Amino acid sequence: MTDYAAVASQPVSKPAAWWGMIILIAAEATLFGAFVGTYYYLRFNTVAWPPDGIPRPDVVVPLILLGVLVLSSVPMQIASRAARAGRLARTRLSLVVALVLQSGYFAYEVHDFRDQLHRFDITRDAYTSIYYTLLGADHGHVLLGILFNFWLLWKLARGLTTYRVNAVQAVTWYWHAVNVLTVVVIGTLLSARA
Amino acid sequence: MAIATPPSPAAAETMERLERMWQSRPGVLGWLTTTDHKRIGLLYFWTTLVLFGAGGIEALLIRTQLIAPNQDLVSPSTYDELFTLHGMTMIFFFIIPMTTGAFGNYLLPLMIGARDMAFPRMNALSYWIFLASAIFLYTSLFMGMAPNAGWFDYVPLANRQFNPGSNIDFYCLGIIFNSIASMLTAGQFIVTMFKSRAPGMSFNRMPLFCWAQLAAAFGLLFALPALSADTIFLFLDRNVGTHFFDPSRGGETLLWQHLFWIFGHPEVYILIVPAFGIATSIIPAFTQRRLVAFPLVAIAEILVVFIGFGVWAHHMFATGLPTITLVFFAAATALVVIPSTIQVFAWCMSFVLGLARFKTPLLFIAGFIFMFVTGGLTGIMFIAIPFDQQVTDTYFVVAHFHYIIFGAAVFPIFGGMYYWFPKVTGKLYFELPGQISFWVLFAGTNLLFFPMHIVGLLGMPRRVYTYPDGIGWTAYNLAETIGGYLTLVGILLLLGNLVVSFFRGEPAGPDPWHGPTLEWTISSPPPEYNFAVVPKVTSPYPNWDAADREADRRHLDAGLLVLQRGHEQPAVTPVDARFAEIVEMPHESPWPIVLAFTLSLVFVMLVIHKYGAAGIMGVLCLLALLGWHSKEPQES
Amino acid sequence: MCVGVLLLAGCGRTQNALAPKSHQARDIASLFWWMMGGAWIGLGIVVALLLLSWLRRKRRGWGSDNEGDKPGERLGWFVVVGGGIVLPIIVVSTVFIVGDLFVIRTTQAPASSSTSLAIRVIGHQWWWEARYPGTAAVTANEIHIPVHQRVRVEVQSADVIHSFWAPELNRKMDAIPGRTNVVELTADVAGHYRGDCAEFCGVQHAHMGLVVVAQPEAAFRRWLARQARPAAAPSSADAQRGERLFMNGLCSSCHAIRGTDAQGYVGPDLTHVASRNTLGALTVLNTPETLAAWIRDAQHLKPGNQMPAFPLGPTRIRELTAYLEELK
Ligand code: HEA
Ligand code: HEA
Ligand code: CUA
Ligand SMILES: [Cu+2]
């Protein structure tokens, strides 16, 4: 290989955008690691967990919702495949499907969050503090992902480019990460039942 | 050696074309919108130098207050703000951004043979955010609300109950704000070193400076989130009424300390490792010998940061944690010593086995080794828990970390300033004044920091705004203060020398030191496109591989490996650096500064507790992001 | 100025960690001397290498290995591995074993009920409260202990984190809200041992001194008995007026005087304030003048401390002082 210009540039390794997203995910994971660590640190320094007078978190609804959210990883993955294969319509469609699932999850969670706040306030004690902080942080990330997807759809309205393909790929990775984080977060919060 | 002068008319023509293609906008606008790593590096350099001045002036006020017993130059509360700001400024706003933001930005691409960072606009963004965060923190000083609970800001002293007023809100937000910048820098350094090395520069051929930067970047990436979490909790405790740190409501006072030091200890290695990197670039150049035990040193640079994540509780030996816990962390601390000793002896043996030319930069490195060993050895003493519990929170600790930080982080920075001055300015500095400035600094800092060991053992606690007469501390404090001013003189000599050299210095030529790494293969100051041809790399000392440099010129003559169809540069496979693709680098962009501005609005709103408004500003940030991504690189 | 006077008063002269007055402090001190010796050797090795390179700087032949030969690389590796791995392993494991397996034991906190005397020391912004469980005695900033006796000190905090430290007797121990940390004090010789709050705790962290008074068993018992007694009724007319002033909330809202209805808990217990050597946590020597000055304007003597200045006329001050001076 003497002159790169001669070499047709088809990627033989992951693009920088992908690495960028991995870095972002690593940082986010560490942040949530600190949150979850705090949760257990506080828990093992407290006798009653959750403190008496606070309802134990209910399992059924959160788990169903969680299932819905995690499910959205599938259409996202399909989207990124399709994008790389240059199949625009399919990419758009699966993004929309994912978006529906995610928005559904988000809408319900926000509603749930608000009426929980009515039942026990974040300022009550250390338990509620970390409880709402964890949930809130996670919801924030879901919201961001939803915005990402709208942005993608808006971009894809004007066809595919390598740039946009990379974008779809990166956002897909973001969503996989957010879903894993959500599993960890919900799992941690539900562990208060055990 | 170097391709400073074009070897042939054809080459000259190519270089002109590149010049035109990479030329940045003239004037201030060019600086505001620049994405050139060299310009960003310089912006970082000047900003952090000014902040160093601020932190130093605070330090000298501290020293002047302590020059004699029972002084009242500053009020007790002002004193608290002074040492808190001093610590924060020096750690978060000087050392880290100076070693990574300034040195890293300017030199990384030059050393790995790239034309720019992997994410040039993100790089610019990180600078503007950094600048904004510095301004943010310092406005608190002028509003008389500067942070005042020490740089590690222990609760409950930092909580509303004992600290009404916005001082600590400025601390929390300032830290988070600043961390964003560091995170961006760290992230894109990592990607740059994975993707943008010159084809052929596999990891085992990457210069140790880059290894150090890589270690530091990973350190920042995994350490800062702990601090962010901590400061977020504190902000909530203070302003929302949560109870993370409130024992009466199930919270834990020590939670703050754990999270802080989980960040804090890695941090101290993060700020030393790039300095190691500078040392390992200067030593081969001035001993004309490849560094002894290269692989061992590379591993040690990574290890020191890695192990550094497991030792945090050695800052909490006096908090009454269970003995077994303390002993565990003491053992881990003992372990972390070894990577450092490896490097020290590798440097020393390179001095001995090479042909040491004691020019100013190498003098600073020798001084650095001396100071680092001194500070490191007191560090080792802290491994003995009972002794640590005797001297913790006294000036003995202050002595330990100033020896290490000033001696081992700042000296290499000074050495680096001399070493790369010719590369950045194209001028040679004056040697004799340079050496004088070193000896003044060496004498000054030792006079400044050594007595702190003694006065600490004599029982002087840190963070006291004054001290009583007649218990044997007076003379030492006087000596320290004199040393402080001597240090100032030394620094002013150094800066003065560089300023004069900038105007009067001899032209340096591309390679005054016969340096080992790629930056010395190009003209000084480097052209905006850095490398006319993608350099050939077969060892960690490319500039000493004459054959490869010959190859470069041939390529230039033949117009091969030039990449002149735009802001192009090759991307490689992460580990063995095989050529992967040609990427189109973004051009100058106004969006980074715009986004940084909107982001600072968010923080301003937060600190005045206008959370709704903060939300709106957040939306502005998103809009700025939209604008940022509106223009796509055209397909090649 | 004040400490100059303190010296005459025979209060703690120094707080020198290397002038140990107990077996704990002595162990730690000698540990330090050994480590320092080692440190000089370590530093010596490195300096020697640097000097060697300076001596060899002028020689010819070696160096400039642009074509790749690395002169003496094997020797280099040998030294790096020997000095950089083997040597430190030996050194740090010695420090670790001696310091963290042995000295840590001899200086450890005593198990509860293993000592005949326990004292509760509570840090406040910015003074020390000392209680003697089992007796009514409460005092401030002056902690009396019987010499040659193991005393268990339970360290607590009423507000922020402080750190209890009497360097000549033992290692320091943080006072953390919501926790009780324990440290042992054992004085080998009678005397006054100065100490300080070591953890930054706010504006007057600098004036949060304490003094440990080690005295013979008998003397200590007498002192304790006196401290445990409630305050004697004021005798002089001035003092009686002073008491009334004190009680009408002006001072009693913050200070307790046992045997009266002053039960405040913001400031130190003043039941036997006149028996103390110093005021304001070693800020000033306790004399009628300084006492009056303190009452008039504590903020002047100790800026930012929790006791406000009182705009009282000289007579009022005289009366209050007279009253407190009687609280021996
Ligand atoms: C640049 C930053 C830096 C570095 C590199 C270090 C390096 C080390 N530090 Fe330091 N440290 C700080 C910055 C740093 N420190 C700061 C800022 C604080 C205080 C924070 C605060 O409280 O405000 C602190 C505080 C601190 C404490 C807590 C003290 C206390 O508050 O009670 C401890 C305790 O273990 C410690 C230990 C060590 C050790 C063992 C090393 C080791 O890594 C040192 C290893 C190096 C060497 C050993 C030198 C090489 C020597 C030779 C080659 C000679 C031969 C040696 C042998 C034979 C052994 N440090
Ligand atoms: C990088 C880290 C760093 C550096 C370089 C320094 C440098 C200095 N430090 Fe600092 N120090 C800390 C980090 C650092 N310090 C930390 C973390 C703490 C703990 C804070 C806390 O307890 O919370 C501390 C605490 C600390 C204390 C203890 C305060 C107390 O506990 O009460 C003291 C006291 O003497 C001190 C003194 C000094 C002095 C005299 C210098 C001198 O070496 C400074 C010399 C520098 C100058 C004199 C500036 C000259 C530069 C210029 C003039 C440039 C101008 C150029 C332009 C304007 C373009 N420092
Ligand atoms: Cu109490 Cu410092
Ligand atoms: Cu540390």
Side-chain angles (χ1 to χ4, degrees):
Chain A
M1 167 200 66
T2 52
D3 187 358
Y4 303 127
V7 184
S9 78
Q10 69 271 95
V12 303
S13 85
K14 293 259 182 278
W18 183 86
W19 283 102
M21 184 52 70
I22 294 301
I23 299 291
L24 175 68
I25 291 167
E28 295 283 9
T30 324
L31 183 65
F32 276 82
F35 284 171
V36 171
T38 303
Y39 180 92
Y40 286 107
Y41 181 79
L42 290 170
R43 174 180 190 165
F44 295 132
N45 285 295
T46 318
V47 264
W49 195 266
D52 355 324
I54 294 185
R56 283 145 153 256
D58 48 2
V59 195
V60 189
V61 183
L63 282 185
I64 297 173
L65 283 168
L66 186 58
V68 172
L69 184 67
V70 173
L71 206 64
S72 73
S73 268
V74 178
M76 286 311 294
Q77 190 58 31
I78 298 175
S80 108
R81 281 268 176 69
R84 245 178 297 135
R87 304 173 56 179
L88 183 55
R90 194 192 173 116
T91 317
R92 288 221 198 93
L93 180 63
S94 29
L95 278 179
V96 172
V97 175
L99 202 43
V100 170
L101 294 173
Q102 293 148 350
S103 317
Y105 168 87
F106 186 68
Y108 189 94
E109 278 294 336
V110 170
H111 157 268
D112 189 44
F113 193 81
R114 300 191 51 241
D115 76 23
Q116 277 188 345
L117 271 174
H118 291 311
R119 278 185 284 133
F120 50 97
D121 188 12
I122 185 168
T123 63
R124 192 176 180 285
D125 55 34
Y127 172 80
T128 58
S129 305
I130 186 65
Y131 180 87
Y132 286 114
T133 310
L134 258 174
L135 266 187
D138 187 59
H139 294 350
H141 284 73
V142 173
L143 176 60
L144 193 60
I146 291 176
L147 294 177
F148 278 159
N149 279 359
F150 275 114
W151 175 71
L152 281 181
L153 284 172
W154 177 65
K155 277 268 170 196
L156 291 175
R158 282 164 294 124
L160 270 174
T161 65
T162 32
Y163 177 79
R164 291 169 198 172
V165 174
N166 289 345
V168 177
Q169 251 179 304
V171 172
T172 307
W173 272 90
Y174 175 85
W175 267 110
H176 294 337
V178 167
N179 292 347
V180 174
L181 286 181
T182 314
V183 171
V184 174
V185 168
I186 302 291
T188 309
L189 295 180
L190 293 187
S191 76
R193 290 189 73 89
Chain B
M1 278 303 131
I3 313 185
T5 48
S8 74
E13 195 181 309
T14 332
M15 286 165 87
E16 261 160 36
R17 201 177 309 114
L18 285 167
E19 193 70 56
R20 265 183 268 104
M21 200 173 296
W22 285 80
Q23 203 166 41
S24 53
R25 263 204 219 87
V28 182
L29 203 59
W31 285 90
L32 293 183
T33 60
T34 186
T35 54
D36 175 0
H37 70 95
K38 295 183 290 301
R39 287 181 162 221
I40 294 172
L42 288 173
L43 286 170
Y44 257 114
F45 178 80
W46 288 114
T47 318
T48 47
L49 190 60
V50 171
L51 284 157
F52 180 48
I57 288 159
E58 285 146 13
L60 291 177
L61 282 170
I62 293 175
R63 278 308 343 150
T64 318
Q65 163 77 8
L66 296 178
I67 191 169
N70 306 312
Q71 295 298 302
D72 49 13
L73 173 72
V74 298
S75 75
S77 50
T78 312
Y79 183 89
D80 300 344
E81 298 187 350
L82 280 178
F83 71 71
T84 307
L85 267 185
H86 167 67
M88 290 178 73
T89 308
M90 289 299 198
I91 299 256
F92 295 103
F93 294 87
F94 166 52
I95 293 275
I96 295 287
M98 176 63 93
T99 51
T100 57
F103 280 83
N105 256 319
Y106 197 99
L107 295 167
L108 260 186
L110 294 182
M111 283 201 184
I112 63 177
R115 280 176 174 173
D116 207 332
M117 290 285 181
F119 304 114
R121 284 175 303 181
M122 198 196 269
N123 200 13
L125 176 65
S126 98
Y127 170 72
W128 295 115
I129 292 182
F130 166 73
L131 179 63
S133 70
I135 295 170
F136 179 83
L137 181 66
Y138 268 84
T139 44
S140 75
L141 179 61
F142 300 114
M143 295 167 63
M145 293 181 196
N148 57 358
W151 84 285
F152 49 71
D153 198 61
Y154 282 175
V155 294
L157 185 62
N159 237 329
R160 263 258 179 273
Q161 186 191 352
F162 300 103
N163 215 321
S166 300
N167 311 56
I168 303 300
D169 295 333
F170 272 107
Y171 175 93
C172 297
L173 297 170
I175 294 265
I176 297 175
F177 202 179
N178 172 272
S179 319
I180 299 174
S182 305
M183 286 298 242
L184 289 170
T185 307
Q188 58 111 1
F189 274 23
I190 294 173
V191 178
T192 304
M193 272 176 274
F194 278 13
K195 294 295 295 177
S196 310
R197 279 170 291 150
M201 184 183 278
S202 49
F203 264 127
N204 57 332
R205 295 174 183 169
M206 189 166 75
L208 283 167
F209 179 89
C210 309
W211 277 96
Q213 291 285 341
L214 191 62
F218 270 112
L220 283 169
L221 188 64
F222 292 114
L224 281 172
L227 182 65
S228 312
D230 216 10
T231 38
I232 289 169
F233 294 158
L234 182 55
F235 190 80
L236 292 175
D237 265 17
R238 288 177 55 85
N239 300 304
V240 178
T242 55
H243 299 285
F244 288 100
F245 306 121
D246 170 8
S248 68
R249 298 288 198 88
E252 253 293 340
T253 320
L254 286 186
L255 172 61
W256 168 271
Q257 299 190 19
H258 280 294
L259 281 173
F260 184 90
W261 290 117
I262 287 175
F263 149 81
H265 188 88
E267 169 82 351
V268 304
Y269 289 126
I270 292 163
L271 63 83
I272 195 82
V273 162
F276 291 171
I278 296 175
T280 46
S281 335
I282 293 178
I283 292 173
F286 284 88
T287 58
Q288 287 299 306
R289 186 199 186 286
R290 289 159 163 69
L291 198 78
V292 169
F294 179 101
L296 217 50
V297 174
I299 295 165
E301 277 179 351
I302 301 290
L303 269 187
V304 74
V305 172
F306 181 75
I307 307 175
F309 275 88
V311 304
W312 74 87
H314 69 210
H315 296 271
M316 300 165 65
F317 279 160
T319 52
L321 294 172
T323 309
I324 177 70
T325 317
L326 299 185
V327 171
F328 168 82
F329 279 99
T333 307
L335 211 60
V336 85
V337 164
I338 290 161
S340 305
T341 45
I342 290 178
Q343 296 182 72
V344 168
F345 279 99
W347 299 325
C348 292
M349 287 316 284
S350 310
F351 269 74
V352 174
L353 297 173
L355 189 67
R357 287 181 294 163
F358 283 89
K359 291 273 171 53
T360 312
L362 197 68
L363 276 177
F364 271 101
I365 298 308
F368 143 75
I369 295 177
F370 176 87
M371 303 281 281
F372 177 55
V373 172
T374 317
L377 287 164
T378 50
I380 291 181
M381 296 182 185
F382 295 143
I383 294 170
I385 295 164
F387 176 73
D388 176 85
Q389 254 174 287
Q390 189 64 292
V391 294
T392 185
D393 283 315
T394 69
Y395 265 85
F396 192 90
V397 170
V398 178
H400 159 71
F401 67 75
H402 280 95
Y403 257 89
I404 287 205
I405 294 188
F406 200 99
V410 181
F411 269 33
I413 290 175
F414 290 160
M417 279 159 75
Y418 277 113
Y419 177 59
W420 281 294
F421 181 82
K423 177 51 58 186
V424 177
T425 63
K427 303 288 185 61
L428 284 174
Y429 64 81
F430 293 108
E431 185 58 36
L432 182 63
Q435 302 207 1
I436 294 172
S437 69
F438 165 77
W439 286 111
V440 174
L441 269 167
F442 188 72
T445 44
N446 280 289
L447 183 61
L448 167 56
F449 296 125
F450 194 82
M452 290 185 181
H453 293 110
I454 304 167
V455 82
L457 289 163
L458 291 179
M460 182 168 174
R462 48 194 290 204
R463 302 172 164 183
V464 291
Y465 74 88
T466 189
Y467 53 94
D469 199 353
I471 51 181
W473 301 344
T474 314
Y476 300 104
N477 277 284
L478 177 61
E480 290 162 16
T481 306
I482 295 169
Y485 281 96
L486 203 54
T487 309
L488 172 62
V489 173
I491 293 170
L492 292 176
L493 265 174
L494 178 147
L495 295 174
N497 182 7
L498 294 186
V499 171
V500 175
S501 313
F502 179 75
F503 293 109
R504 299 235 182 299
E506 308 275 305
D511 185 12
W513 314 128
H514 187 19
T517 37
L518 278 174
E519 76 269 31
W520 302 109
T521 65
I522 56 180
S523 61
S524 346
E528 277 172 291
Y529 53 84
N530 290 359
F531 297 92
V533 291
V534 181
K536 181 157 185 272
V537 177
T538 54
S539 89
Y541 307 92
N543 196 34
W544 290 349
D545 303 331
D548 297 349
R549 303 285 67 82
E550 263 315 308
D552 285 359
R553 317 171 91 112
R554 280 200 309 280
H555 290 146
L556 187 56
D557 284 340
L560 293 172
L561 304 184
V562 173
L563 307 186
Q564 41 189 321
R565 285 174 306 164
H567 280 212
E568 288 182 322
Q569 94 173 29
V572 298
T573 57
V575 180
D576 49 8
R578 278 180 295 103
F579 168 78
E581 63 180 307
I582 294 176
V583 291
E584 168 74 18
M585 310 298 291
H587 292 253
E588 301 161 305
S589 154
W591 291 110
I593 192 167
V594 172
L595 180 52
F597 180 70
T598 52
L599 189 62
S600 30
L601 290 181
V602 175
F603 280 90
V604 171
M605 291 309 158
L606 284 177
V607 83
I608 58 175
H609 308 312
K610 297 265 185 295
Y611 303 117
I616 298 169
M617 299 307 158
V619 175
L620 284 187
C621 293
L622 291 176
L623 291 181
L625 267 172
L626 268 186
W628 179 304
H629 292 89
S630 55
K631 185 169 169 301
E632 298 178 20
Q634 61 275 44
E635 304 287 310
S636 49
Chain C
M1 43 106 196
C2 46
V3 179
V5 202
L6 284 183
L7 290 175
L8 313 177
C11 261
R13 245 171 215 72
T14 65
Q15 48 193 53
N16 179 350
L18 300 181
K21 297 295 187 315
S22 73
H23 71 82
Q24 293 97 337
R26 198 171 302 109
D27 287 356
I28 297 174
S30 41
L31 176 63
F32 165 74
W33 289 117
W34 281 104
M35 291 194 297
M36 192 183 76
W40 282 115
I41 297 173
L43 186 59
I45 299 173
V46 172
V47 172
L49 286 172
L50 291 177
L51 286 179
L52 182 62
S53 76
W54 186 76
L55 292 174
R56 292 160 52 89
R57 73 193 184 285
K58 285 224 160 52
R59 80 196 182 290
R60 287 280 163 272
W62 279 16
S64 77
D65 66 317
N66 312 343
E67 302 316 320
D69 62 308
K70 291 185 253 165
E73 185 69 5
R74 291 181 85 262
L75 173 63
W77 273 84
F78 182 76
V79 177
V80 171
V81 172
I85 299 180
V86 181
L87 178 66
I89 288 179
I90 299 168
V91 172
V92 295
S93 26
T94 321
V95 172
F96 178 78
I97 291 164
V98 176
D100 299 343
L101 302 186
F102 293 104
V103 178
I104 200 170
R105 284 239 168 59
T106 62
T107 60
Q108 223 165 17
S112 51
S113 79
S114 73
T115 63
S116 53
L117 178 64
I119 305 177
R120 181 163 304 122
V121 173
I122 304 166
H124 295 255
Q125 281 178 321
W126 292 268
W127 55 282
W128 298 96
E129 174 186 0
R131 298 179 163 269
Y132 289 75
T135 78
V138 183
T139 181
N141 308 322
E142 279 178 38
I143 300 161
H144 288 241
I145 61 169
V147 71
H148 299 309
Q149 222 184 86
R150 299 176 59 234
V151 179
R152 174 185 159 87
V153 178
E154 301 169 0
V155 186
Q156 299 174 339
S157 168
D159 36 50
V160 303
I161 300 179
H162 307 270
S163 195
F164 173 83
W165 188 37
E168 288 160 7
L169 296 181
N170 205 347
R171 46 202 235 207
K172 66 176 69 66
M173 188 45 82
D174 287 357
I176 300 175
R179 298 179 155 247
T180 300
N181 289 333
V182 180
V183 62
E184 176 181 323
L185 292 185
T186 320
D188 291 353
V189 281
H192 291 67
Y193 304 117
R194 209 175 182 287
D196 245 321
C197 171
E199 187 65 74
F200 178 65
C201 54
V203 278
Q204 278 303 339
H205 164 63
H207 289 116
M208 190 165 163
L210 61 95
V211 56
V212 178
V213 181
Q215 48 195 168
E217 178 75 26
F220 170 74
R221 290 295 158 203
R222 258 181 275 113
W223 174 86
L224 189 58
R226 188 149 34 67
Q227 293 292 321
R229 268 191 246 115
S235 52
S236 76
D238 263 2
Q240 279 157 358
R241 266 181 255 106
E243 178 181 33
R244 250 173 274 115
L245 249 172
F246 192 100
M247 294 308 158
N248 68 14
L250 180 63
C251 321
S252 54
S253 56
C254 293
H255 289 284
I257 294 182
R258 280 169 280 129
T260 74
D261 40 22
Q263 296 303 335
Y265 187 59
V266 179
D269 178 304
L270 299 179
T271 312
H272 299 288
V273 63
S275 73
R276 295 178 206 150
N277 273 323
T278 68
L279 296 177
L282 271 59
T283 305
V284 289
L285 189 71
N286 184 2
T287 67
E289 299 70 42
T290 52
L291 181 57
W294 177 275
I295 299 169
R296 196 180 313 107
D297 190 353
Q299 292 302 320
H300 176 70
L301 294 175
K302 190 171 177 178
N305 87 80
Q306 308 268 11
M307 170 160 159
F310 292 95
L312 295 173
T315 42
R316 295 291 187 77
I317 299 285
R318 198 184 66 248
E319 291 159 358
L320 280 169
T321 317
Y323 173 54
L324 294 184
E325 279 300 324
E326 285 194 6
L327 301 176
K328 284 267 179 288

